[in-house]
Amino acid sequence: MLARAQTFTIDGLQARPVTVEVDIRSGLPAFSIVGLADAAVREARDRVRAAILNSDFEFPARRITANLAPADLPKIGPGLDLALACAVLAASGQIPGAQLDGHGMFGELALDGELRHCHGTLAVAQASVSAGVRTLLLAPGRAHEAMLLEGLNVKAVQNLKSAVRVLHGGSPDRIPDRPALGRGQRDDRGRHDPDLSDIIGQHHAVRSLIIAAAGGHNALLSGPPGTGKTMLAHRLPSILPPLSRTEAIDVTRIHGIAGHGGGRLITHRPFRAPHHSITTAGLVGGARRGWIGEIVLAHHGVLFLDELSEFARPTLEALRQPMEDGRVAIVRARHSAVYPARFMLLAATNPCPCGYAGEHERCHCNERDHARHRRKLSGPLLDRIDLLSHLDRERGVTGAVALTDSRRARARVIAARELQAARFATEGIRTNAAMDARLTLRHANLDDQANHLLIACQDRGSLSARGQHRALRVARTIADLEHSTRIAGHHLAEALAMRPDAALAGGRTVVVA
Ligand SMILES: Nc1ncnc2c1ncn2[C@@H]1O[C@H](COP(=O)(O)OP(=O)(O)O)[C@@H](O)[C@H]1O
Ligand SMILES: [Mg+2]
């Protein structure tokens, strides 16, 4: 007898529909699975058999063949267990086959028949809606994640017995009031992000962080050890605008597939801070099929690279294309995929290998050390960084006060982002940082003083075309923070002072790059 059940497998950042076909005929008892199944799917045979027997059903002592269609799509993970078990029960006449129609199933079976939730529930729910599945059977722990989508009937089933009951038209199990937290997960409600008011002094660096957040600019913090670079960076999430509903669904889906989501909607922007020992594959993805890199996990959020000069140069080089395109194309011998990766880059570094450049008596680096340090950073990333700020010891001293707190800074950031959203409503971008040369010039709207300043810089030859566009983008954001439609002289002057290439040209002693 033949039976079919509908399930899903994760392919990159999507879930794809899989039809499980089970055929049972006479012959020596055997259970084989065909259709590009990975090890976890092949092991389903043992789980399914034990779960069926331990749920007081009969496991047919005949020749069972399960085919996973489409045959050319690799099936990964244990999420197909429930559909396999139900198809075996239907093919052996223990459930009427017609009952499976219109139902999707996703979950791993324990040997006692208990249903365990799997990574990627939100992606599965999205695929269910587009595949026309009316009812999705899931473990109770992830039902909330699937219920974020409208138009899908989600039924929680605790075990195989409950699933069979639901397929017979019985009632599903209770969905817990609150989504279960994953291992190592914090409850986000009442979560307390570190606050900007903890930063004493370093006002210009705090200010540059606010400008970066307001315009979505990539920023670099440079300074000797212990001046608060890492501390400041960790306060960036507290001043970023919240995710929109569509962005939140995107982020929840991606993190759900990576196994981070706790079954609830993620509303804060991701902040990823990989250690500098990370490999290129770890950063961009593609170590194996379906591997999600840090830059994809940072989508719609922040990628923070602390101790930037310690990262391997090829790893930093690999960031170039994703930062340009907002997505990463991965091509490996056996698979290829394109993942979204639109993030804001924040980096921190010492100004030289020993960290004390500029303090003559303390810095032990020679000219070659400096040159090496400079080379390491300049090529791949500096092109894409709009803002550079230096932290130093004198500016963060006792007696100094905090520039602002996160609540006030965030309100200004959100107001500036709203101006940008209105400005770019028809342009397909959201932030000043994403303006190309044409948009930069169109929206510059310089006043006389700013115009003179720009011309003076050009005459002096101290401003390349790229440097000019970069300064104008930042100046646009500074003006937006003040709700000014025109870029005034002091806006542009501040932007020029934070240009990384100005520092490169030797404005200060030794700089990051
Ligand atoms: N501006 C500052 N305001 C308050 N505390 C600071 C400041 N700068 C440094 N600190 C203190 O010094 C510690 C080390 O700072 P950190 O951010 O790790 O420095 P860096 O990354 O620049 O080496 C912080 O945890 C904090 O306690
Ligand atoms: Mg640090």
Side-chain angles (χ1 to χ4, degrees):
M1 224 166 113
L2 187 73
R4 283 195 186 85
Q6 183 72 58
T7 185
F8 300 88
T9 191
I10 303 294
D11 178 29
L13 294 183
Q14 311 285 338
R16 306 220 179 263
V18 173
T19 306
V20 179
E21 300 167 344
V22 170
D23 177 64
I24 302 187
R25 56 188 60 232
S26 43
L28 284 178
F31 185 9
S32 57
I33 297 182
V34 296
L36 275 196
D38 80 344
V41 180
R42 288 195 304 272
E43 287 169 355
R45 284 182 305 194
D46 298 328
R47 288 191 300 269
V48 165
R49 186 201 314 265
I52 287 182
L53 290 172
N54 287 330
S55 305
D56 302 330
F57 297 111
E58 204 181 304
F59 191 82
R62 289 194 288 162
R63 189 184 161 79
I64 308 174
T65 309
N67 178 38
L68 311 175
D72 59 351
L73 174 72
K75 324 294 180 307
I76 54 169
L80 292 77
D81 287 7
L82 181 61
L84 269 166
C86 289
V88 168
L89 292 177
S92 56
Q94 300 176 75
I95 316 176
Q99 302 285 6
L100 295 176
D101 286 352
H103 286 85
M105 301 163 207
F106 190 64
E108 169 188 342
L109 285 171
L111 298 186
D112 63 358
E114 181 92 12
L115 190 64
R116 295 184 169 136
H117 56 72
C118 299
H119 299 167
T121 302
L122 183 54
V124 165
Q126 286 176 324
S128 300
V129 172
S130 29
V133 168
R134 288 188 304 276
T135 309
L136 183 62
L137 303 193
L138 288 174
R142 281 296 181 278
H144 281 274
E145 196 174 322
M147 280 156 52
L148 294 172
L149 287 194
E150 280 156 24
L152 183 67
N153 186 4
V154 178
K155 291 191 174 167
V157 290
Q158 258 167 12
N159 48 42
L160 185 56
K161 268 188 179 162
S162 309
V164 171
R165 189 184 66 232
V166 170
L167 289 171
H168 272 114
S171 58
D173 292 321
R174 208 178 65 82
I175 295 175
D177 297 337
R178 295 215 289 137
L181 286 178
R183 219 180 312 147
Q185 267 229 316
R186 288 180 309 160
D187 190 339
D188 268 356
R189 282 191 280 188
R191 106 185 188 140
H192 183 69
D193 277 331
D195 198 280
L196 268 192
S197 57
D198 301 335
I199 312 269
I200 308 299
Q202 311 291 9
H203 290 184
H204 60 296
V206 175
R207 166 110 177 124
S208 83
L209 199 71
I210 296 173
I211 297 170
H217 301 284
N218 299 323
L220 177 58
L221 306 169
S222 163
T227 46
K229 302 182 293 296
T230 306
M231 188 182 178
L232 187 54
H234 282 278
R235 279 149 183 81
L236 176 58
S238 71
I239 60 171
L240 287 174
L243 291 168
S244 70
R245 173 85 188 176
T246 354
E247 288 173 334
I249 294 271
D250 263 4
V251 171
T252 308
R253 176 170 52 94
I254 295 171
H255 286 251
I257 288 173
H260 302 158
R264 62 183 71 192
L265 191 68
I266 298 175
T267 50
H268 56 274
R269 292 189 182 265
F271 182 83
R272 305 296 301 181
H275 186 253
H276 56 70
S277 60
I278 191 169
T279 60
T280 306
L283 192 66
V284 300
R288 58 182 161 73
R289 193 185 176 96
W291 178 279
I292 303 175
E294 283 295 320
I295 59 169
V296 180
L297 293 172
H299 184 51
H300 291 317
V302 179
L303 180 71
F304 173 46
L305 303 182
D306 204 357
E307 308 293 350
L308 186 65
S309 60
E310 301 298 321
F311 283 77
R313 172 131 185 175
T315 304
L316 297 181
E317 293 274 3
L319 283 176
R320 211 197 263 262
Q321 180 251 343
M323 287 176 71
E324 203 74 49
D325 301 344
R327 62 207 182 107
V328 55
I330 290 167
V331 181
R332 297 287 180 270
R334 304 178 64 181
H335 62 100
S336 67
V338 178
Y339 296 143
R342 195 167 292 289
F343 56 87
M344 190 179 147
L345 179 78
L346 179 63
T349 183
N350 290 336
C352 69
C354 79
Y356 295 102
E359 299 178 33
H360 292 297
E361 58 296 350
R362 289 187 77 172
C363 181
H364 304 301
C365 301
N366 57 31
E367 210 23 66
R368 275 184 51 202
D369 294 332
H370 286 307
R372 214 184 54 232
H373 189 75
R374 231 183 343 253
R375 260 202 316 279
K376 190 107 184 236
L377 303 182
S378 57
L381 282 187
L382 224 62
D383 280 1
R384 309 252 83 230
I385 286 178
D386 284 343
L387 286 163
L388 168 68
S389 55
H390 294 276
L391 290 84
D392 52 39
R393 287 170 203 293
E394 300 81 51
R395 296 205 234 188
V397 286
T398 26
V401 290
L403 178 67
T404 180
D405 62 29
S406 292
R407 194 181 51 78
R408 274 182 286 177
R410 188 167 189 245
R412 296 184 63 201
V413 166
I414 290 175
R417 289 266 183 138
E418 277 164 7
L419 288 177
Q420 294 165 66
R423 175 179 308 136
F424 303 128
T426 57
E427 306 282 3
I429 60 169
R430 288 193 198 148
T431 55
N432 291 335
M435 289 193 289
D436 58 16
R438 183 182 60 90
L439 287 176
T440 307
L441 295 178
R442 183 193 303 163
H443 295 296
N445 202 2
L446 299 174
D447 76 0
D448 288 345
Q449 207 191 350
N451 230 336
H452 287 144
L453 184 58
L454 198 61
I455 291 166
C457 287
Q458 281 164 348
D459 289 349
R460 254 188 283 128
S462 63
L463 199 58
S464 66
R466 175 195 285 146
Q468 175 182 333
H469 292 151
R470 177 142 58 195
L472 286 175
R473 282 197 299 264
V474 174
R476 185 63 265 163
T477 302
I478 297 173
D480 286 344
L481 276 168
E482 292 181 9
H483 302 275
S484 161
T485 48
R486 310 209 77 172
I487 293 180
H490 66 280
H491 299 144
L492 185 59
E494 187 176 8
L496 286 168
M498 289 190 286
R499 253 180 335 135
D501 43 352
L504 254 181
R508 287 176 67 94
T509 38
V510 183
V511 276
V512 292

